[in-house]
Amino acid sequence: MNITLKVWRQKNTSTPGKLVEYKLANIDPDMSFLEMFDILNGELTHKGEQIIAFDHDCREGICGSCAMYVNGRAHGPQTGAAVCQLYMRSFNDGDTIIVEPWRSRGFPVIKDLSTDRSAFDRIVQAGGYISVNTGAAPEANEILVSHEIQETTMDAAACIACGACVAACKNASAMLFVSAQVSRFALLPQGQSERRVRAERMVAQMDSEGFGACSFTGACAVECPASVSLENIARLNREYLGAKIS
């Protein structure tokens, strides 16, 4: 395949960025999108030019660090997958592919396609924990949890904190991420101690980080590579209201 890439290049947070065009030839259709970037960076290194900065780690759709826009969509055209799971066969020979970083005040650009997503860490620190008694480990079956609760909790815990929900939202809201974190604790017996204050603290931290308000358009759930459900946002709203009136 022969493709044309238009990649966002930005030296740092305070420097204006721009799209820069690159042409690549003989790209294997079975190559992953990140492998294609490795090829491009190899060519740039050979020319003595600055390589393109982008985040990656697991390359298996688990860590969420490969966060970027591909042709105007979070993580690219493939549904339910991160960029590292996107393959060049999803494109056609001769295509022009535009690659940009997340666009949100809560995710400032560090360099090129790499953004600072530590705001998510601070939101989790605000309330994403449970109180437990230290000492000997309890017997595994001492606290019974229904199969339905287990499945619902695991679905919420599938969130990989990539930020696609923020990138897809017209308001740059982080509600899907926050609701997934709240849900996975609120539903389990171990998470009841902080149940009310958790929602209140995490939403307050989300607002202070500069993320927008949720207007429930559903774009976040459509682009989420882990298929986190909008039901979690409804649950977060109930938890938050309960915290305010209790």
Side-chain angles (χ1 to χ4, degrees):
M1 296 171 59
N2 297 322
I3 61 170
T4 300
L5 282 176
K6 291 186 177 180
V7 183
W8 186 262
R9 302 302 307 264
Q10 185 170 341
K11 186 176 181 180
N12 52 47
T13 304
S14 58
T15 304
K18 64 179 181 178
L19 289 171
V20 178
E21 185 174 297
Y22 302 96
K23 293 187 181 294
L24 289 173
N26 300 319
I27 295 297
D28 189 337
D30 292 326
M31 184 180 293
S32 77
F33 199 78
L34 296 189
E35 287 174 328
M36 178 272 296
F37 261 109
D38 290 338
I39 296 295
L40 174 57
N41 277 342
E43 292 184 2
L44 293 177
T45 300
H46 185 71
K47 295 176 182 177
E49 300 179 16
Q50 280 285 323
I51 64 171
I52 297 168
F54 65 96
D55 295 322
H56 63 92
D57 191 2
C58 70
R59 299 199 179 207
E60 295 178 356
I62 299 172
C63 71
S65 57
C66 57
M68 61 182 77
Y69 271 118
V70 181
N71 283 347
R73 286 193 63 180
H75 290 299
Q78 189 171 330
T79 302
V83 177
C84 60
Q85 297 170 297
L86 178 65
Y87 289 86
M88 296 309 296
R89 56 178 173 264
S90 297
F91 305 95
N92 299 314
D93 182 34
D95 275 359
T96 296
I97 305 172
I98 301 174
V99 190
E100 302 170 274
W102 285 165
R103 302 293 190 187
S104 169
R105 186 168 62 179
F107 295 149
V109 174
I110 299 173
K111 184 178 181 181
D112 298 335
L113 304 175
S114 179
T115 55
D116 181 358
R117 293 179 295 123
S118 60
F120 274 7
D121 295 330
R122 292 188 289 273
I123 291 173
V124 171
Q125 290 167 3
Y129 56 87
I130 60 173
S131 295
V132 294
N133 294 320
T134 59
E139 208 283 323
N141 296 319
E142 184 176 320
I143 301 176
L144 298 180
V145 181
S146 70
H147 177 72
E148 181 182 357
I149 293 298
Q150 291 179 40
E151 291 297 313
T152 305
T153 303
M154 287 300 295
D155 288 344
C159 171
I160 59 175
C162 65
C165 50
V166 176
C169 178
K170 63 181 181 180
N171 301 327
S173 173
M175 280 288 279
L176 190 66
F177 165 77
V178 176
S179 67
Q181 309 311 309
V182 168
S183 290
R184 66 193 184 98
F185 289 119
L187 292 169
L188 294 174
Q190 296 90 338
Q192 301 307 305
S193 298
E194 290 83 18
R195 182 169 184 174
R196 297 308 182 194
V197 297
R198 177 181 296 113
E200 194 170 11
R201 289 174 179 173
M202 293 182 78
V203 169
Q205 185 65 38
M206 175 186 71
D207 292 340
S208 70
E209 295 289 348
F211 296 107
C214 174
S215 51
F216 219 71
T217 61
C220 54
V222 172
E223 301 294 1
C224 175
S227 301
V228 174
S229 172
L230 286 174
E231 292 178 1
N232 291 293
I233 296 181
R235 184 177 296 108
L236 171 58
N237 288 334
R238 292 194 296 271
E239 293 291 315
Y240 185 77
L241 180 61
K244 287 298 185 183
I245 64 178
S246 61

Short mmCIF file of all heavy atoms in Angstrom, two decimals, residues 96-140:
data_model
loop_
_atom_site.label_atom_id
_atom_site.label_comp_id
_atom_site.label_asym_id
_atom_site.label_seq_id
_atom_site.Cartn_x
_atom_site.Cartn_y
_atom_site.Cartn_z
N THR A 96 -5.33 9.12 2.17
CA THR A 96 -4.70 10.13 3.02
C THR A 96 -5.27 9.98 4.42
O THR A 96 -6.49 10.01 4.61
CB THR A 96 -4.96 11.55 2.50
OG1 THR A 96 -4.35 11.71 1.22
CG2 THR A 96 -4.38 12.59 3.46
N ILE A 97 -4.40 9.78 5.41
CA ILE A 97 -4.82 9.54 6.79
C ILE A 97 -4.35 10.70 7.66
O ILE A 97 -3.16 11.03 7.68
CB ILE A 97 -4.23 8.22 7.32
CG1 ILE A 97 -4.61 7.05 6.38
CG2 ILE A 97 -4.73 7.94 8.73
CD1 ILE A 97 -3.91 5.75 6.74
N ILE A 98 -5.30 11.32 8.36
CA ILE A 98 -4.98 12.45 9.24
C ILE A 98 -4.94 11.94 10.68
O ILE A 98 -5.89 11.33 11.17
CB ILE A 98 -6.04 13.56 9.10
CG1 ILE A 98 -6.07 14.05 7.64
CG2 ILE A 98 -5.72 14.72 10.04
CD1 ILE A 98 -7.18 15.04 7.36
N VAL A 99 -3.82 12.20 11.37
CA VAL A 99 -3.62 11.71 12.73
C VAL A 99 -3.37 12.90 13.66
O VAL A 99 -2.47 13.70 13.41
CB VAL A 99 -2.43 10.72 12.80
CG1 VAL A 99 -2.40 10.04 14.16
CG2 VAL A 99 -2.52 9.69 11.69
N GLU A 100 -4.18 12.99 14.72
CA GLU A 100 -4.09 14.12 15.65
C GLU A 100 -4.15 13.61 17.09
O GLU A 100 -4.65 12.51 17.35
CB GLU A 100 -5.24 15.08 15.42
CG GLU A 100 -5.34 15.66 14.02
CD GLU A 100 -6.63 16.41 13.82
OE1 GLU A 100 -7.64 15.76 13.47
OE2 GLU A 100 -6.65 17.63 14.03
N PRO A 101 -3.69 14.40 18.05
CA PRO A 101 -3.81 14.04 19.46
C PRO A 101 -5.21 14.33 19.98
O PRO A 101 -6.03 14.95 19.29
CB PRO A 101 -2.77 14.94 20.14
CG PRO A 101 -2.75 16.17 19.27
CD PRO A 101 -2.97 15.67 17.86
N TRP A 102 -5.50 13.87 21.20
CA TRP A 102 -6.77 14.23 21.84
C TRP A 102 -6.88 15.74 21.95
O TRP A 102 -5.89 16.43 22.18
CB TRP A 102 -6.84 13.64 23.24
CG TRP A 102 -7.10 12.19 23.45
CD1 TRP A 102 -6.90 11.51 24.62
CD2 TRP A 102 -7.62 11.21 22.54
NE1 TRP A 102 -7.24 10.20 24.48
CE2 TRP A 102 -7.70 9.98 23.21
CE3 TRP A 102 -8.04 11.26 21.21
CZ2 TRP A 102 -8.17 8.82 22.61
CZ3 TRP A 102 -8.49 10.10 20.60
CH2 TRP A 102 -8.57 8.91 21.30
N ARG A 103 -8.11 16.25 21.82
CA ARG A 103 -8.36 17.68 21.92
C ARG A 103 -9.22 17.96 23.14
O ARG A 103 -10.43 17.78 23.13
CB ARG A 103 -9.07 18.20 20.67
CG ARG A 103 -8.32 17.94 19.36
CD ARG A 103 -7.04 18.73 19.30
NE ARG A 103 -6.41 18.67 17.96
CZ ARG A 103 -5.23 19.16 17.68
NH1 ARG A 103 -4.52 19.73 18.63
NH2 ARG A 103 -4.75 19.08 16.45
N SER A 104 -8.59 18.34 24.23
CA SER A 104 -9.31 18.65 25.46
C SER A 104 -8.41 19.47 26.37
O SER A 104 -7.20 19.22 26.43
CB SER A 104 -9.74 17.36 26.17
OG SER A 104 -10.22 17.64 27.47
N ARG A 105 -9.01 20.41 27.08
CA ARG A 105 -8.23 21.19 28.03
C ARG A 105 -7.67 20.30 29.14
O ARG A 105 -6.61 20.56 29.71
CB ARG A 105 -9.10 22.29 28.65
CG ARG A 105 -8.33 23.25 29.54
CD ARG A 105 -9.16 24.47 29.89
NE ARG A 105 -10.37 24.11 30.65
CZ ARG A 105 -11.25 25.00 31.09
NH1 ARG A 105 -11.09 26.28 30.80
NH2 ARG A 105 -12.30 24.62 31.77
N GLY A 106 -8.39 19.20 29.43
CA GLY A 106 -7.94 18.27 30.45
C GLY A 106 -6.80 17.38 30.01
O GLY A 106 -6.16 16.73 30.84
N PHE A 107 -6.52 17.35 28.69
CA PHE A 107 -5.44 16.54 28.14
C PHE A 107 -4.48 17.42 27.34
O PHE A 107 -4.46 17.38 26.11
CB PHE A 107 -5.99 15.44 27.21
CG PHE A 107 -6.84 14.41 27.88
CD1 PHE A 107 -7.86 13.79 27.17
CD2 PHE A 107 -6.63 14.06 29.20
CE1 PHE A 107 -8.65 12.81 27.77
CE2 PHE A 107 -7.41 13.09 29.81
CZ PHE A 107 -8.43 12.46 29.09
N PRO A 108 -3.67 18.23 27.98
CA PRO A 108 -2.74 19.08 27.23
C PRO A 108 -1.71 18.27 26.45
O PRO A 108 -1.28 17.20 26.90
CB PRO A 108 -2.06 19.90 28.34
CG PRO A 108 -2.22 19.09 29.58
CD PRO A 108 -3.52 18.38 29.44
N VAL A 109 -1.34 18.76 25.28
CA VAL A 109 -0.37 18.07 24.43
C VAL A 109 1.03 18.19 25.04
O VAL A 109 1.48 19.29 25.38
CB VAL A 109 -0.37 18.64 23.00
CG1 VAL A 109 0.74 18.02 22.17
CG2 VAL A 109 -1.73 18.40 22.33
N ILE A 110 1.70 17.07 25.19
CA ILE A 110 3.09 17.06 25.66
C ILE A 110 4.02 17.28 24.47
O ILE A 110 4.87 18.16 24.47
CB ILE A 110 3.44 15.74 26.36
CG1 ILE A 110 2.55 15.54 27.59
CG2 ILE A 110 4.92 15.71 26.74
CD1 ILE A 110 2.71 14.19 28.24
N LYS A 111 3.82 16.46 23.44
CA LYS A 111 4.58 16.58 22.20
C LYS A 111 3.90 15.74 21.12
O LYS A 111 3.53 14.59 21.37
CB LYS A 111 6.03 16.11 22.38
CG LYS A 111 6.90 16.30 21.14
CD LYS A 111 8.33 15.88 21.40
CE LYS A 111 9.19 16.09 20.16
NZ LYS A 111 10.61 15.67 20.38
N ASP A 112 3.71 16.33 19.96
CA ASP A 112 3.12 15.63 18.81
C ASP A 112 1.79 14.97 19.19
O ASP A 112 0.83 15.66 19.49
CB ASP A 112 4.10 14.61 18.23
CG ASP A 112 5.38 15.24 17.71
OD1 ASP A 112 5.33 16.44 17.36
OD2 ASP A 112 6.42 14.57 17.67
N LEU A 113 1.75 13.64 19.20
CA LEU A 113 0.51 12.90 19.48
C LEU A 113 0.40 12.48 20.94
O LEU A 113 -0.59 11.84 21.33
CB LEU A 113 0.44 11.66 18.58
CG LEU A 113 0.53 11.92 17.08
CD1 LEU A 113 0.58 10.60 16.32
CD2 LEU A 113 -0.62 12.78 16.59
N SER A 114 1.37 12.83 21.73
CA SER A 114 1.40 12.44 23.14
C SER A 114 0.73 13.50 24.00
O SER A 114 1.10 14.68 23.94
CB SER A 114 2.85 12.24 23.60
OG SER A 114 2.90 11.88 24.96
N THR A 115 -0.25 13.09 24.79
CA THR A 115 -0.97 14.03 25.66
C THR A 115 -0.83 13.63 27.13
O THR A 115 -0.62 12.45 27.44
CB THR A 115 -2.46 14.09 25.30
OG1 THR A 115 -3.02 12.77 25.33
CG2 THR A 115 -2.67 14.69 23.92
N ASP A 116 -0.98 14.60 28.00
CA ASP A 116 -0.90 14.37 29.44
C ASP A 116 -2.29 13.98 29.95
O ASP A 116 -3.19 14.81 30.03
CB ASP A 116 -0.42 15.64 30.14
CG ASP A 116 -0.28 15.47 31.64
OD1 ASP A 116 -0.59 14.37 32.16
OD2 ASP A 116 0.12 16.44 32.32
N ARG A 117 -2.47 12.71 30.29
CA ARG A 117 -3.77 12.22 30.76
C ARG A 117 -3.74 11.93 32.27
O ARG A 117 -4.55 11.16 32.78
CB ARG A 117 -4.16 10.96 29.98
CG ARG A 117 -4.45 11.26 28.51
CD ARG A 117 -4.81 10.02 27.71
NE ARG A 117 -3.69 9.09 27.64
CZ ARG A 117 -3.73 7.83 28.05
NH1 ARG A 117 -4.83 7.34 28.56
NH2 ARG A 117 -2.67 7.05 27.95
N SER A 118 -2.83 12.59 32.97
CA SER A 118 -2.73 12.39 34.42
C SER A 118 -3.95 12.92 35.17
O SER A 118 -4.13 12.61 36.35
CB SER A 118 -1.45 13.04 34.97
OG SER A 118 -1.45 14.43 34.72
N ALA A 119 -4.78 13.72 34.50
CA ALA A 119 -6.02 14.19 35.13
C ALA A 119 -6.88 13.01 35.56
O ALA A 119 -7.54 13.04 36.60
CB ALA A 119 -6.80 15.09 34.17
N PHE A 120 -6.87 11.94 34.77
CA PHE A 120 -7.63 10.74 35.13
C PHE A 120 -7.10 10.12 36.42
O PHE A 120 -7.87 9.63 37.25
CB PHE A 120 -7.55 9.71 34.00
CG PHE A 120 -8.60 9.90 32.92
CD1 PHE A 120 -9.43 11.00 32.91
CD2 PHE A 120 -8.74 8.96 31.91
CE1 PHE A 120 -10.39 11.17 31.92
CE2 PHE A 120 -9.70 9.11 30.93
CZ PHE A 120 -10.53 10.22 30.93
N ASP A 121 -5.79 10.15 36.60
CA ASP A 121 -5.20 9.62 37.83
C ASP A 121 -5.67 10.41 39.04
O ASP A 121 -5.97 9.85 40.09
CB ASP A 121 -3.68 9.65 37.75
CG ASP A 121 -3.12 8.75 36.67
OD1 ASP A 121 -3.76 7.73 36.37
OD2 ASP A 121 -2.05 9.07 36.11
N ARG A 122 -5.72 11.72 38.89
CA ARG A 122 -6.15 12.57 40.01
C ARG A 122 -7.63 12.38 40.33
O ARG A 122 -8.04 12.48 41.49
CB ARG A 122 -5.83 14.03 39.70
CG ARG A 122 -4.33 14.33 39.65
CD ARG A 122 -4.04 15.81 39.54
NE ARG A 122 -4.40 16.34 38.22
CZ ARG A 122 -3.59 16.34 37.17
NH1 ARG A 122 -2.38 15.80 37.26
NH2 ARG A 122 -3.96 16.86 36.01
N ILE A 123 -8.43 12.11 39.31
CA ILE A 123 -9.85 11.84 39.56
C ILE A 123 -10.00 10.54 40.35
O ILE A 123 -10.78 10.47 41.31
CB ILE A 123 -10.62 11.74 38.22
CG1 ILE A 123 -10.69 13.12 37.56
CG2 ILE A 123 -12.03 11.20 38.44
CD1 ILE A 123 -11.27 13.10 36.16
N VAL A 124 -9.25 9.52 39.99
CA VAL A 124 -9.30 8.25 40.71
C VAL A 124 -8.81 8.44 42.14
O VAL A 124 -9.40 7.91 43.10
CB VAL A 124 -8.46 7.19 39.99
CG1 VAL A 124 -8.32 5.92 40.84
CG2 VAL A 124 -9.08 6.83 38.65
N GLN A 125 -7.75 9.22 42.32
CA GLN A 125 -7.22 9.46 43.66
C GLN A 125 -8.23 10.17 44.55
O GLN A 125 -8.23 10.01 45.78
CB GLN A 125 -5.94 10.29 43.57
CG GLN A 125 -4.76 9.53 42.99
CD GLN A 125 -3.60 10.45 42.62
OE1 GLN A 125 -3.65 11.66 42.86
NE2 GLN A 125 -2.56 9.88 42.04
N ALA A 126 -9.13 10.95 43.94
CA ALA A 126 -10.12 11.70 44.71
C ALA A 126 -11.16 10.80 45.38
O ALA A 126 -11.76 11.19 46.38
CB ALA A 126 -10.83 12.71 43.81
N GLY A 127 -11.38 9.61 44.83
CA GLY A 127 -12.41 8.76 45.44
C GLY A 127 -12.37 7.31 45.04
O GLY A 127 -13.19 6.53 45.52
N GLY A 128 -11.45 6.91 44.21
CA GLY A 128 -11.43 5.54 43.71
C GLY A 128 -10.71 4.57 44.61
O GLY A 128 -9.70 3.97 44.22
N TYR A 129 -11.20 4.43 45.84
CA TYR A 129 -10.57 3.50 46.78
C TYR A 129 -11.65 2.97 47.73
O TYR A 129 -12.78 3.45 47.75
CB TYR A 129 -9.48 4.20 47.60
CG TYR A 129 -9.96 5.43 48.33
CD1 TYR A 129 -10.53 5.33 49.60
CD2 TYR A 129 -9.87 6.69 47.76
CE1 TYR A 129 -10.99 6.45 50.27
CE2 TYR A 129 -10.32 7.82 48.42
CZ TYR A 129 -10.88 7.70 49.67
OH TYR A 129 -11.34 8.81 50.31
N ILE A 130 -11.31 1.94 48.48
CA ILE A 130 -12.24 1.39 49.47
C ILE A 130 -11.52 1.25 50.80
O ILE A 130 -10.30 1.12 50.85
CB ILE A 130 -12.79 0.01 49.04
CG1 ILE A 130 -11.66 -1.01 48.87
CG2 ILE A 130 -13.58 0.14 47.74
CD1 ILE A 130 -12.12 -2.42 48.63
N SER A 131 -12.29 1.27 51.90
CA SER A 131 -11.74 1.05 53.23
C SER A 131 -11.83 -0.43 53.56
O SER A 131 -12.89 -1.05 53.40
CB SER A 131 -12.52 1.85 54.28
OG SER A 131 -12.35 3.24 54.07
N VAL A 132 -10.73 -1.02 54.01
CA VAL A 132 -10.72 -2.44 54.36
C VAL A 132 -9.99 -2.61 55.69
O VAL A 132 -9.11 -1.81 56.05
CB VAL A 132 -10.02 -3.29 53.28
CG1 VAL A 132 -10.81 -3.27 51.99
CG2 VAL A 132 -8.60 -2.83 53.05
N ASN A 133 -10.37 -3.65 56.41
CA ASN A 133 -9.68 -3.97 57.65
C ASN A 133 -8.43 -4.78 57.31
O ASN A 133 -8.48 -5.73 56.54
CB ASN A 133 -10.59 -4.79 58.56
CG ASN A 133 -11.78 -3.99 59.05
OD1 ASN A 133 -11.63 -2.81 59.36
ND2 ASN A 133 -12.94 -4.62 59.13
N THR A 134 -7.31 -4.36 57.88
CA THR A 134 -6.07 -5.11 57.63
C THR A 134 -6.01 -6.33 58.54
O THR A 134 -6.77 -6.45 59.50
CB THR A 134 -4.84 -4.22 57.89
OG1 THR A 134 -4.89 -3.76 59.26
CG2 THR A 134 -4.82 -3.03 56.96
N GLY A 135 -5.14 -7.24 58.22
CA GLY A 135 -5.03 -8.47 59.01
C GLY A 135 -5.08 -9.67 58.11
O GLY A 135 -4.76 -9.60 56.92
N ALA A 136 -5.53 -10.77 58.66
CA ALA A 136 -5.61 -12.01 57.89
C ALA A 136 -6.62 -11.87 56.77
O ALA A 136 -7.66 -11.22 56.92
CB ALA A 136 -5.98 -13.17 58.80
N ALA A 137 -6.33 -12.47 55.63
CA ALA A 137 -7.25 -12.42 54.50
C ALA A 137 -8.53 -13.17 54.81
O ALA A 137 -8.49 -14.27 55.38
CB ALA A 137 -6.58 -13.03 53.27
N PRO A 138 -9.69 -12.58 54.47
CA PRO A 138 -10.96 -13.28 54.74
C PRO A 138 -11.13 -14.48 53.81
O PRO A 138 -10.51 -14.55 52.75
CB PRO A 138 -12.02 -12.20 54.43
CG PRO A 138 -11.35 -11.28 53.47
CD PRO A 138 -9.90 -11.27 53.85
N GLU A 139 -11.94 -15.41 54.22
CA GLU A 139 -12.24 -16.57 53.39
C GLU A 139 -12.88 -16.11 52.09
O GLU A 139 -13.71 -15.20 52.08
CB GLU A 139 -13.19 -17.51 54.16
CG GLU A 139 -13.06 -18.97 53.76
CD GLU A 139 -13.74 -19.29 52.45
OE1 GLU A 139 -14.81 -18.72 52.18
OE2 GLU A 139 -13.18 -20.10 51.67
N ALA A 140 -12.50 -16.71 50.97
CA ALA A 140 -12.90 -16.24 49.65
C ALA A 140 -14.41 -16.13 49.47
O ALA A 140 -14.90 -15.23 48.80
CB ALA A 140 -12.30 -17.15 48.58
#
